[in-house]
Amino acid sequence: MELGTSKNSAAETPREGIGAYLASHLREYGLLLALIVIMVFFQIVTDGTLLRAVNVTNLLLQNSYIIIMALGMLIVIVSGNIDLSVGSVMGFVGALAAVMIVNYHLPVLLTIVVCLVVGGVIGAAQGYWVAYWRIPSFIVTLAGMLVFRGLSLWLLAGQSVGPFPSEFQLLANGFVPDIFPAGIGAALAEVFDARKVNVLALAAGVVTAATILWMGMRQRSRNKAYGIEDEPGVFFVARNLIVAAALIFITYKLSTFRGLPNVLITMGVLTVIYAFITSSTVIGRRVYALGGNEKAAKLSGIKTERLTFLAFANMGVLAAAAGLVFAARLNTATPKAGFALELDVIAAVFIGGASMSGGVGTIIGAVVGAFLMGVLNNGMSIMGIGIDYQQMIKGLVLLAAVIFDVYNKNKQR
């Protein structure tokens, strides 16, 4: 009897361990599963239009500025604050770039530098009132949203300004040229039965996927050596294989169209940098401590005011970068640019796993959340669903994400 009992216990322990791990990480795996399910659904109902090469490229271009701002918004929300002004700041910076380049014929490089600095100053100004005067971020950035919306109208005199020179348009509409011989691309095109293949794009996907797999196995071996509890092997293998396959598939689709968009390189570099900062640096850990418990963080010696100030300054720079990309993509600056985009950015971060109370969230989650929102927008547009229904569906998705977050917190208590 005792032997049988011990065998049953031994057999049940792994299942219980896997179940407990899945329950505690349901948000992360659920988000990835939701993205896959939504993409498969729209791929079926749109008769394959969603994952056509041209639409995959458009999907990346259309969501580039959302993802860029989501990186900064994640840090702001993790710190326990929020920024409602990012859409207006984005539109204002795009208007400033248009006036400088189109009206005053200033060099493109100088304009980009000035606009990024202006974005940083705007973010720093808002962060100053939040950090050092203790004014709620909701109020400060709501005021900023109204101020910079008005400044955009004033700067453009209520009219659209454009077009931009070709070198500025390369920020959003340019593609990285293929450095490999044309013969290799032609040979691969025959193998894949495609019109053409950009070898650089395909190689970049394979190398990136291999790097992610290698880094994952390396980190897993380190965790095992130090006795750190890691995710079950089944989940580790499945998650990494899905991510690697998705990267190779997307880059393959891009390679059969025009290759790697310039803005994809920008997004990729920024995502890697901010993922490293938030997960592997002292300042990143301090931001999470600030959002988790500001008083405890302050008592432990963390300069919470400075961190809050820097979070908003960083958000301003990224909003300015998004404004430049948005203006370059449209090839014009309009008074309504960026209108209500702050809602999409905030929704992407919350759907990606960030907590309303701060201290929780990841860069990768924010990026996946932004893509999930982008796929929803793109898929519903292809299906011809009206903007009224689109807004309602996105609102319900956001509400479901927040309810799920609250439910998990109550369950853990």
Side-chain angles (χ1 to χ4, degrees):
M1 292 294 293
E2 291 179 359
L3 182 59
T5 303
S6 62
K7 284 182 178 180
N8 290 337
S9 300
E12 289 173 4
T13 299
R15 286 198 294 266
E16 290 176 357
I18 291 176
Y21 181 86
L22 181 60
S24 61
H25 294 77
L26 188 58
R27 186 65 179 268
E28 293 87 345
Y29 291 105
L31 181 65
L32 181 60
L33 180 62
L35 179 60
I36 294 172
V37 169
I38 289 173
M39 292 187 71
V40 170
F41 171 77
F42 281 119
Q43 176 70 358
I44 294 172
V45 298
T46 61
D47 296 326
T49 302
L50 181 74
L51 294 180
R52 288 179 182 171
V54 61
N55 195 61
V56 171
T57 302
N58 288 335
L59 190 60
L60 291 172
L61 295 179
Q62 289 168 1
N63 292 279
S64 56
Y65 39 88
I66 299 292
I67 293 173
I68 291 172
M69 289 193 289
L71 300 177
M73 186 63 74
L74 184 277
I75 294 177
V76 170
I77 289 176
V78 164
S79 70
N81 296 286
I82 199 165
D83 192 341
L84 300 177
S85 68
V86 291
S88 297
V89 173
M90 187 191 87
F92 171 72
V93 170
L96 178 62
V99 170
M100 292 179 67
I101 294 175
V102 178
N103 292 354
Y104 293 99
H105 308 290
L106 294 175
V108 170
L109 183 59
L110 174 64
T111 299
I112 292 173
V113 172
V114 169
C115 287
L116 293 177
V117 171
V118 168
V121 170
I122 291 172
Q126 296 188 128
Y128 170 77
W129 295 110
V130 175
Y132 296 103
W133 284 75
R134 313 297 295 177
I135 302 176
S137 58
F138 181 90
I139 300 300
V140 173
T141 57
L142 178 61
M145 179 177 70
L146 299 174
V147 168
F148 293 107
R149 178 63 56 202
L151 283 175
S152 298
L153 289 167
W154 168 77
L155 195 59
L156 296 175
Q159 299 179 346
S160 298
V161 175
F164 290 102
S166 58
E167 56 267 31
F168 183 77
Q169 295 181 47
L170 289 176
L171 284 175
N173 299 321
F175 291 81
V176 180
D178 194 356
I179 60 175
F180 289 90
I184 299 177
L188 288 175
E190 292 183 4
V191 172
F192 293 123
D193 192 23
R195 186 169 58 87
K196 64 175 182 177
V197 171
N198 185 298
V199 183
L200 177 63
L202 189 59
V206 173
V207 171
T208 303
T211 302
I212 289 175
L213 291 173
W214 175 76
M215 291 179 65
M217 290 187 291
R218 183 184 179 191
Q219 185 61 46
R220 186 174 176 82
S221 64
R222 284 183 177 180
N223 291 346
K224 187 176 181 180
Y226 288 106
I228 300 174
E229 183 180 356
D230 208 345
E231 65 181 326
V234 175
F235 290 106
F236 173 79
V237 172
R239 177 175 58 83
N240 281 279
L241 286 180
I242 289 173
V243 171
L247 277 172
I248 294 174
F249 176 77
I250 290 173
T251 50
Y252 163 71
K253 286 293 183 178
L254 294 175
S255 71
T256 59
F257 183 54
R258 298 180 63 184
L260 296 173
N262 291 339
V263 74
L264 178 61
I265 305 300
T266 303
M267 286 191 301
V269 171
L270 287 175
T271 300
V272 170
I273 291 173
Y274 279 90
F276 175 77
I277 290 174
T278 54
S279 63
S280 304
T281 65
V282 173
I283 191 171
R285 288 189 287 271
R286 287 178 175 176
V287 170
Y288 282 92
L290 167 63
N293 191 324
E294 183 178 358
K295 291 183 179 178
K298 195 174 184 68
L299 290 173
S300 65
I302 296 175
K303 296 180 179 179
T304 56
E305 292 86 358
R306 186 172 68 178
L307 272 182
T308 301
F309 175 81
L310 291 175
F312 278 94
N314 173 73
M315 183 70 257
V317 173
L318 290 177
L324 294 171
V325 171
F326 188 77
R329 174 157 174 74
L330 291 183
N331 196 23
T332 186
T334 66
K336 291 186 177 181
F339 182 75
L341 276 182
E342 60 275 351
L343 303 180
D344 284 346
V345 176
I346 294 170
V349 174
F350 281 135
I351 291 171
S355 173
M356 299 175 296
S357 56
V360 177
T362 63
I363 290 294
I364 300 301
V367 172
V368 174
F371 271 119
L372 194 149
M373 292 291 288
V375 171
L376 277 175
N377 286 332
N378 187 265
M380 288 188 291
S381 296
I382 294 174
M383 291 177 63
I385 296 176
I387 190 67
D388 47 356
Y389 288 104
Q390 290 188 33
Q391 295 297 327
M392 287 189 288
I393 292 172
K394 289 193 294 182
L396 291 173
V397 170
L398 174 59
L399 180 61
V402 175
I403 290 173
F404 188 77
D405 175 58
V406 173
Y407 171 77
N408 277 342
K409 282 189 173 182
N410 292 336
K411 190 176 180 181
Q412 293 171 4
R413 288 176 181 174

